[in-house]
Amino acid sequence: MPLIAFLSRRSMLAAGAAALLAASAAQAQETVKIGLILPMTGPFASTGRQIEAAAKLYIAQNGDTVAGKKIQLLLQDDGGVADQTKRIAQEMIVNQKVAFLAGFGLTPLAFAVAPLSTQAKVPTVVMAAATSSITEKSPYILRTSFTLPQATVPLADWAAKNNIKTVVTVVADYGPGIDAENAFKTRFAAAGGQVTEAIRVPIANPDFAPFLQRVKDAKPNAVFVFVPSGVGSAFMKQFKERGLAEAGIRLIGTGDVTDDDILNNMGEVALGTITTHHYSAAHDSPENKAFVSAFKAASKDMRPNFMAVGGYDGIALIYQALKATNGATGGDALLAAMKTAKWMSPRGPIAIDPQTRDIVQNIYFREVKSVGGELYNVEFGAAEAVKDPGKSPTN
Ligand code: PHB
């Protein structure tokens, strides 16, 4: 073959290959994949169920195309096991080429993925896990749930102002529980109260009975509790059986213990429990009324809990970022857009703090009451625009 013909044949082939590559790149660009990793099985499956329903609701309400890009939600179950979360995240980054990672039902699951987010520069939206330090584990992590110090500090203030002088804390023995214990102890002491005993219980299948007997013997004015979403019923049952209320010990805690997913089945023992949290299904706003009714209609009458709102707002954050970049999916561009996001959620006004990438939101004071024959966390006040105090030097 004459050299010239050979060269042009080669360049034609090269051009063909380049076109193919460009076509597949264009195709890849048309779809934006969100890798959603949740515990859909195991003891924390209610978190997965709530977040999945909320994420799908957001997409159904807002369409599955943003800035010309088709949104594809890839859901995988990690069973609440960190090694699984990590393996799935890796596969989603390398093979699926996801533009975002999202979900993370428990703190250890978020910790496991943080190094991968950093390495691959993939914006990672924590929709559930709530240990303060999670957002410090990668500059690509943002959070739409809450932090335990954020939810706890207003309650310590409330307790001190409401004639509670002595408290025993009971928390699940891992990141968020330790954050809650420390935040309560420090803030309550600063307000003149005293934590007389700090009890930590195992996270998996805890038997609260012996711990609550210790609380009863210590005779504090109140017990402060943090248990992760899904565990509140077991705690309430033991609180009742041990007769703590009859012994004059009040129950206060973050709203995880009176989780809307299970509250209505707790019975009378829950009545009067005072909690602080960022979301109640009973939150009185037009945005929340619309959210609750659409959520129930889409999910067999399931009541949304605080996990659901974290999932709903997590997808809202992703949509806003894609709109801001006009559909461009480079991790750093998306991250920049996400860091300054601010919007109205069913829980009230929220924003991402550009310094910490953590959520800024109202923390509401609530009391469990019977409303129309159902138990709800009824709000009676709010601490407004609370940043995570876990990252400030005062805590
Ligand atoms: C967490 O593991 O970070 C976690 C899980 C459930 C909660 C709160 C925090 O309700």
Side-chain angles (χ1 to χ4, degrees):
M1 190 189 307
L3 184 62
I4 191 108
F6 174 74
L7 279 178
S8 77
R9 223 177 102 85
R10 262 183 61 144
S11 61
M12 269 172 68
L13 276 175
L20 249 179
L21 262 178
S24 74
Q27 205 175 36
Q29 273 167 18
E30 294 309 316
T31 302
V32 173
K33 294 181 182 172
I34 305 171
L36 182 62
I37 314 178
L38 294 169
M40 302 304 299
T41 52
F44 299 100
S46 67
T47 295
R49 197 162 25 87
Q50 287 272 348
I51 293 178
E52 178 191 11
K56 288 184 172 163
L57 176 64
Y58 189 90
I59 294 171
Q61 289 177 328
N62 293 277
D64 65 356
T65 305
V66 188
K69 298 289 168 77
K70 184 98 176 151
I71 302 296
Q72 195 182 355
L73 195 62
L74 304 175
L75 169 64
Q76 287 226 38
D77 173 19
D78 62 15
V81 178
D83 284 349
Q84 291 296 327
T85 321
K86 192 173 173 185
R87 185 188 58 71
I88 294 166
Q90 189 132 28
E91 193 278 328
M92 283 176 160
I93 292 168
V94 174
N95 298 336
Q96 304 287 346
K97 312 244 179 309
V98 294
F100 302 91
L101 287 169
F104 313 106
L106 296 156
T107 288
L109 316 182
F111 281 160
V113 166
L116 299 179
S117 309
T118 306
Q119 236 170 30
K121 297 182 189 282
V122 176
T124 298
V125 182
V126 173
M127 296 169 156
T131 297
S132 177
S133 63
I134 288 172
T135 45
E136 293 167 336
K137 302 293 179 200
S138 167
Y140 288 86
I141 291 184
L142 307 104
R143 175 154 42 199
T144 56
S145 52
F146 73 112
T147 78
L148 263 303
Q150 185 181 47
T152 300
V153 160
L155 184 61
D157 292 343
W158 181 90
K161 283 191 202 125
N162 284 270
N163 222 15
I164 295 175
K165 311 241 181 293
T166 53
V167 168
V168 172
T169 57
V170 176
V171 302
D173 190 6
Y174 76 121
I178 291 159
D179 268 6
E181 180 191 287
N182 288 335
F184 191 88
K185 204 190 300 188
T186 308
R187 187 72 167 215
F188 192 49
Q194 195 194 352
V195 170
T196 56
E197 202 175 339
I199 297 174
R200 297 179 183 178
V201 300
I203 176 187
N205 307 313
D207 174 11
F208 293 108
F211 301 109
L212 288 174
Q213 188 58 46
R214 263 169 71 189
V215 175
K216 197 174 173 188
D217 296 343
K219 298 190 176 58
N221 297 140
V223 54
F224 166 89
V225 64
F226 164 77
V227 288
S229 180
V231 181
S233 304
F235 180 88
M236 283 290 184
K237 193 163 170 281
Q238 289 300 329
F239 186 83
K240 184 179 176 178
E241 283 177 17
R242 296 273 132 190
L244 270 78
E246 288 78 3
I249 300 169
R250 298 187 68 176
L251 177 58
I252 61 175
T254 59
D256 307 73
V257 73
T258 56
D259 170 1
D260 268 302
D261 193 68
I262 49 180
L263 174 60
N264 203 29
N265 292 321
M266 285 182 187
E268 281 203 348
V269 59
L271 285 170
T273 305
I274 302 287
T275 59
T276 39
H277 228 206
H278 54 293
Y279 180 70
S280 164
H283 178 64
D284 191 9
S285 74
E287 291 84 6
N288 189 48
K289 286 199 164 76
F291 172 66
V292 172
S293 69
F295 188 93
K296 284 184 163 181
S299 31
K300 300 199 183 99
D301 224 28
M302 175 163 76
R303 188 196 289 183
N305 71 359
F306 63 96
M307 293 299 186
V309 88
Y312 192 76
D313 287 329
I315 302 291
L317 179 59
I318 288 172
Y319 270 45
Q320 288 180 65
L322 282 168
K323 275 182 203 153
T325 64
N326 207 14
T329 52
D332 286 320
L334 287 170
L335 190 72
M338 291 165 105
K339 277 188 191 178
T340 53
K342 192 176 178 167
W343 70 104
M344 183 56 82
S345 152
R347 67 184 109 174
I350 60 175
I352 301 297
D353 178 349
Q355 263 82 51
T356 62
R357 287 160 280 99
D358 228 324
I359 187 164
V360 182
Q361 60 190 335
N362 295 347
I363 297 296
Y364 302 92
F365 300 94
R366 312 99 55 84
E367 177 174 354
V368 177
K369 289 187 172 175
S370 178
V371 181
E374 291 189 42
L375 296 181
Y376 278 99
N377 295 296
V378 177
E379 294 169 358
F380 60 88
E384 285 181 11
V386 181
K387 286 188 178 187
D388 174 28
K391 295 184 190 76
S392 85
T394 55
N395 218 292

